[in-house]
Amino acid sequence: MTAPETLRFENHRLILIDQTKLPGELTELVCTSVAQTHDAIRRLVVRGAPAIGIAAAYGVCLAVPADETGTPGRSRYIDAIESLATSRPTAVNLFWALDRMRQIVDSTPEAELKDALVAEATRIHEEDRQMCHAIGRNGAPLLADVQTVLTHCNAGGLATSTWGTALAPIYHLHQTGDAPKVIADETRPLLQGGRLTAWELSQAGVDVTVITDSMSGSLMRLGKIQAVIVGADRITARGDVANKIGTYPVAVLAKHHGLPFYVAAPTNTFDLQLDCGDDIPIEQRGREEVAAPHGVRIVPDAADVLNPAFDVTPAELVTAIITERGVIKQPSRDAVAEHFANA
């Protein structure tokens, strides 16, 4: 049993699993415009850095309806790219995908733009499928002797086009019957671990247990976790990693308990223009996600709320970064540069 495809593009429509409804309800949202795509990304109907990039690429194609005749011109596509770039600020894959779409807009005759943009978005989608499987192959040996692995947030198929990033090595091992047990922390405030990771792993038949975010340190101390693997939304030139809020304290706990802390991400998640993680823009989300999750008010109106969507884990806490090209052990500026130079 496997989870359905996170997103697809059919008949000039972007069709998304509505991840805000999981696990209670499996429904799809159909986007037929740039505005609808922007809203779906902003509201986390689609989330996860690779999936955001793919959705945005298809969203550009929706700037012009399928049945419109004549030559649409470049300006509507450029406006779409600029609009979609404002949907979420941290995941670099969004900007990477939009840059590729902009290159098509700039270099293609106007009469051919509509088909060329759909073809490029489709290539981005297919490349992500291939990268996910390569990350699975490259990361599997690191988890081969691990009995139980902890993951934070959701970096599986729901965050990408297929196996995901952090979950890809687990899915790869699952094919041979050697997958480790997975502990998914709930991942406050939106519970992507409890709602999404647990849902898709159980759909695939992988042994998964959900814990509250505050339990991981105790389980590490008791020897019930042997490794941690997470995804990433942006990685700097020196290997600092931006990921879902709460990743940094998990990395600190892993370091304290002598456990490997792995990050899995495609090379398009690297922002080599940034050296230090402190320079990564961190998205600040709305009060209600913390104060009234799922419509249940748990914080008094008079109390302030902080809700950063991401935090930064310094490279020195990362044991290795797994990409579709291989493994960067003990990430550093030189190690990252070598990884890209050997491509």
Side-chain angles (χ1 to χ4, degrees):
M1 189 174 188
T2 58
E5 189 87 359
T6 303
L7 72 168
R8 63 189 192 276
F9 195 73
E10 296 176 354
N11 301 319
H12 210 70
R13 303 179 305 157
L14 174 60
I15 304 169
L16 307 166
I17 290 179
D18 188 343
Q19 298 186 37
T20 67
K21 303 291 182 61
L22 290 173
E25 183 180 356
L26 177 59
T27 61
E28 294 180 329
L29 177 72
V30 177
C31 299
T32 58
S33 70
V34 175
Q36 289 174 331
T37 306
H38 185 287
D39 182 65
I41 294 172
R42 182 189 59 80
R43 290 195 299 109
L44 309 183
V45 170
V46 59
R47 24 88 27 225
I52 289 171
I54 298 165
Y58 284 129
V60 174
C61 302
L62 299 177
V64 176
D67 57 0
E68 181 175 309
T69 59
T71 301
R74 302 183 196 281
S75 61
R76 289 160 70 182
Y77 291 119
I78 292 172
D79 289 345
I81 290 168
E82 292 177 350
S83 172
L84 290 164
T86 67
S87 56
R88 297 196 71 189
T90 301
V92 76
N93 308 64
L94 170 69
F95 307 103
W96 170 85
L98 292 176
D99 284 346
R100 283 184 55 168
M101 299 299 280
R102 179 62 185 259
Q103 290 171 15
I104 299 298
V105 172
D106 290 342
S107 63
T108 305
E110 290 186 357
E112 302 172 14
L113 263 180
K114 187 182 295 185
D115 290 341
L117 286 168
V118 172
E120 182 68 2
T122 303
R123 275 192 293 272
I124 291 171
H125 197 170
E126 180 56 34
E127 287 171 12
D128 186 75
R129 290 190 181 97
Q130 295 173 11
M131 286 189 288
C132 289
H133 284 272
I135 288 170
R137 291 192 300 271
N138 294 336
L142 300 177
L143 299 182
D145 297 322
V146 171
Q147 291 183 324
T148 304
V149 62
L150 171 72
T151 190
H152 181 72
C153 195
N154 173 258
L158 289 170
T160 63
S161 59
T162 176
W163 276 0
T165 54
L167 298 191
I170 296 165
Y171 285 129
H172 183 91
L173 291 167
H174 182 61
Q175 289 186 327
T176 61
D178 296 322
K181 295 180 180 179
V182 179
I183 291 181
D185 64 25
E186 58 181 352
T187 319
R188 288 282 294 149
L190 295 178
L191 307 177
Q192 293 99 325
R195 292 191 306 109
L196 304 180
T197 297
W199 180 79
E200 69 166 272
L201 286 175
S202 60
Q203 291 282 305
V206 177
D207 189 325
V208 58
T209 299
V210 176
I211 63 171
T212 64
D213 290 354
S214 58
M215 291 183 189
S216 57
S218 295
L219 293 178
M220 290 178 188
R221 187 181 70 82
L222 294 171
K224 296 184 180 295
I225 294 170
Q226 290 81 47
V228 180
I229 189 166
V230 301
D233 287 79
R234 192 178 298 214
I235 304 173
T236 71
R238 68 181 296 272
D240 295 343
V241 175
N243 193 50
K244 183 58 57 184
I245 188 71
T247 301
Y248 170 66
V250 171
V252 171
L253 286 166
K255 184 76 169 181
H256 177 76
H257 291 92
L259 303 180
F261 181 89
Y262 301 123
V263 175
T267 49
N268 58 38
T269 300
F270 284 76
D271 184 351
L272 300 180
Q273 303 303 310
L274 291 183
D275 183 69
C276 179
D278 292 340
D279 297 326
I280 297 175
I282 300 298
E283 177 184 3
Q284 303 294 323
R285 294 189 60 82
R287 169 192 175 85
E288 293 304 289
E289 291 179 351
V290 173
H294 306 287
V296 179
R297 187 158 300 283
I298 60 174
V299 175
D301 292 339
D304 290 335
V305 163
L306 291 175
N307 189 17
F310 305 95
D311 60 21
V312 174
T313 298
E316 53 265 30
L317 296 179
V318 179
T319 306
I321 300 174
I322 307 157
T323 81
E324 78 279 9
R325 299 179 183 179
V327 177
I328 308 172
K329 297 180 180 179
Q330 297 180 319
S332 65
R333 192 177 297 102
D334 290 343
V336 171
E338 181 180 359
H339 190 72
F340 277 83
N342 292 335

